[in-house]
Amino acid sequence: MFLLLAAVFFGVFATNVAIGSARGVVFLNDVGEMLMLFAAVVSFVVAVLRSEAARNRKRHAQDIQGRNENE
């Protein structure tokens, strides 16, 4: 979810840059571009942290399950 959101934010930014370089007209000003990149970075970081947390939960559950079977 957050990774897709980061891709959308970055896509809007990249589209703005491409249109600006091709036609000279942009729909986002400098502050808008900064906020779009900031939103993309924040969304990406949240996605990475959620992924790491899920992997750690899975690893912890496997460790607990393995210990219970051996005891």
Side-chain angles (χ1 to χ4, degrees), residues 3-69:
L3 194 57
L4 180 63
L5 191 60
V8 168
F9 284 139
F10 186 75
V12 171
F13 170 77
T15 301
N16 183 54
V17 170
I19 290 173
S21 67
R23 296 185 186 163
V25 178
V26 295
F27 55 90
L28 291 174
N29 59 9
D30 291 341
V31 175
E33 285 182 352
M34 181 209 51
L35 292 175
M36 197 61 59
L37 278 177
F38 181 72
V41 167
V42 168
S43 299
F44 183 76
V45 168
V46 168
V48 169
L49 290 175
R50 287 176 58 115
S51 174
E52 286 290 320
R55 184 171 22 164
N56 287 339
R57 280 193 303 271
K58 182 179 177 182
R59 195 176 292 162
H60 182 68
Q62 288 174 348
D63 288 346
I64 291 174
Q65 186 180 18
R67 288 182 195 147
N68 289 339
E69 289 176 1

